[in-house]
Amino acid sequence: MDTQDGTQQSQQLILAHNVFLLKHPDVSDIEKVRLRDEVLNSVQSNDMTSYYETLVTDEVLELDQSLLESMRAKNEEEIKKLDEKIADAEENLGESEVREAHLAKSLYYIRIGEKEKALEQLKLTESKTVAVGQKMDLVFYTLQIGLFYMDFDLISKSIDKAKNLFEGGGDWERKNRLKVYEGLYCMSTRNFKKAANLFLDSISTFTTYELFPYDTFIFYTVLTSIISLDRVSLKQKVVDAPEILTVIGKIPHLSEFLNSLYDCQYKSFFLAFAGLTEQIKLDRYLHPHFRFYMREVRTVVYSQFLESYKSVTTEAMAKAFGVTVEFIDMELSRFIAAGKLHCKIDKVAGVLETNRPDAKNALYQATIKQGDFLLNRIQKLSRVIDL
């Protein structure tokens, strides 16, 4: 994707985020006016004819026929020039120059938002590429196309392809970059545990500025870690991590969110959590999982509080969280019914009694259940064989 240098975010991914915000119901009309201007300027400066037509169809932008025709004419002219360069390279120059000419055409298709043509041209460029590192760069371009269009099938296949390429060699810098791409894919597909591990592995070697700034990377790392790591791991890998400590203060509410959870300051945690919800809701990758993430965080914090008690009054718990008894009662009822919390509510006495699951007993029950399932399958299979 189009980046000015190695430390700037891809212009296409910035555009995709702005389009996401334009379609978001929680963004104010005044803000949408500014975003619409930014989107139009970005589309116009990159001559994104097909993408402009898509945005007009989606009623994000209004149709300007003269602009559309002007961009289309520029596209045709530029592609003609690129084809001439390819022809010239094939006739008069070496293999590396031919590859560079094909790569230039691939990058132009990416820049103007021609997804299918870009993918086709990248495949053609790959057929003329020998070095593993250069092949990996082509996979990164494909991954960025996938992220621009949120095409998870394309992203998944590209990550698998990259891993296969690394089996034949490859440098550590590109391997570390791939971890961030895969972490972002996992986070976007609700695999927060794997995303947290991949992000934590990449903290000290982060170079994928084309995806997002380092501050955003730390934001994602902390959010995924809180619902994925146990208390000891969270302390070692996140709370005390020097790379996180240098940045976390720049992100509103994030430091309070993390530290108040670890320090068991639950009232402060809920206040910080409320401040973070807007950022999560307006994030292109996290937005589809907003309600799920909210539930998971509350499960973690309620479980941590109840871990310290055999029994506790709902009034004491409500006071610790800075909410009403009715709210806690309603919240815990839902989580207990869903099997997320191991406790029961004595409504008459106003007491919560914890009943921590026995690991051995749980394993025994799971084995019995799986055994029954296997026997049923064998019986069904025997009936088919008898017939």
Side-chain angles (χ1 to χ4, degrees), residues 57-290:
T57 305
D58 293 345
E59 298 182 350
V60 175
L61 296 176
E62 293 177 3
L63 177 62
D64 182 338
Q65 194 62 41
S66 61
L67 172 62
L68 182 63
E69 288 170 5
S70 166
M71 290 193 296
R72 188 171 282 135
K74 286 179 183 175
N75 289 162
E76 288 170 1
E77 185 185 343
E78 187 63 31
I79 289 165
K80 188 180 176 184
K81 285 180 185 175
L82 289 165
D83 284 336
E84 286 171 0
K85 283 182 182 177
I86 290 169
D88 179 56
E90 286 175 343
E91 286 177 24
N92 307 311
L93 301 170
E95 289 180 2
S96 62
E97 287 81 4
V98 171
R99 180 194 174 276
E100 289 303 315
H102 278 288
L103 178 60
K105 190 176 179 182
S106 303
L107 296 180
Y108 182 70
Y109 277 137
I110 293 171
R111 186 185 137 196
I112 64 174
E114 290 280 3
K115 180 186 176 184
E116 298 306 324
K117 289 179 180 177
L119 292 172
E120 192 181 320
Q121 188 62 33
L122 282 168
K123 281 182 184 175
L124 187 57
T125 307
E126 187 187 0
S127 69
K128 305 194 179 292
T129 305
V130 178
V132 173
Q134 290 180 331
K135 284 186 177 181
M136 268 306 308
D137 289 338
L138 297 177
V139 175
F140 285 130
Y141 287 130
T142 308
L143 283 166
Q144 288 171 40
I145 293 170
L147 289 167
F148 181 77
Y149 291 99
M150 295 299 254
D151 184 342
F152 295 123
D153 185 50
L154 176 63
I155 296 168
S156 176
K157 287 175 181 174
S158 298
I159 288 169
D160 290 341
K161 185 177 180 179
K163 287 178 178 177
N164 289 333
L165 281 171
F166 279 137
E167 286 177 8
D171 59 90
W172 282 105
E173 192 265 336
R174 287 186 176 92
K175 284 183 180 178
N176 288 327
R177 281 178 67 199
L178 182 64
K179 283 183 183 178
V180 181
Y181 277 89
E182 189 178 1
L184 182 57
Y185 165 71
C186 290
M187 186 182 78
S188 303
T189 52
R190 208 176 277 187
N191 189 348
F192 290 113
K193 187 173 181 65
K194 190 173 181 182
N197 290 329
L198 288 163
F199 285 154
L200 288 166
D201 283 348
S202 311
I203 280 185
S204 56
T205 56
F206 179 82
T207 55
T208 48
Y209 294 100
E210 69 272 16
L211 291 184
F212 33 63
Y214 191 62
D215 291 10
T216 305
F217 172 66
I218 294 300
F219 176 69
Y220 291 154
T221 304
V222 172
L223 289 188
T224 52
S225 297
I226 275 178
I227 62 170
S228 305
L229 302 182
D230 58 62
R231 191 172 162 79
V232 175
S233 300
L234 190 70
K235 173 72 170 170
Q236 291 173 347
K237 297 179 180 180
V238 183
V239 176
D240 291 341
E243 295 90 353
I244 290 176
L245 289 170
T246 55
V247 175
I248 197 168
K250 299 176 187 175
I251 304 161
H253 309 293
L254 192 61
S255 179
E256 296 88 344
F257 182 63
L258 174 63
N259 291 308
S260 58
L261 174 66
Y262 187 76
D263 295 336
C264 305
Q265 302 294 323
Y266 299 113
K267 193 182 290 187
S268 302
F269 175 82
F270 259 35
L271 290 170
F273 188 34
L276 274 178
T277 53
E278 194 70 10
Q279 292 179 59
I280 298 168
K281 201 185 289 185
L282 297 179
D283 185 275
R284 184 167 170 253
Y285 305 108
L286 288 170
H287 170 72
H289 316 294
F290 175 69

Side-chain angles (χ1 to χ4, degrees), residues 301-312:
V301 73
Y302 293 148
S303 297
Q304 181 175 292
F305 177 84
L306 292 169
E307 191 73 28
S308 310
Y309 300 96
K310 180 70 179 168
S311 65
V312 62

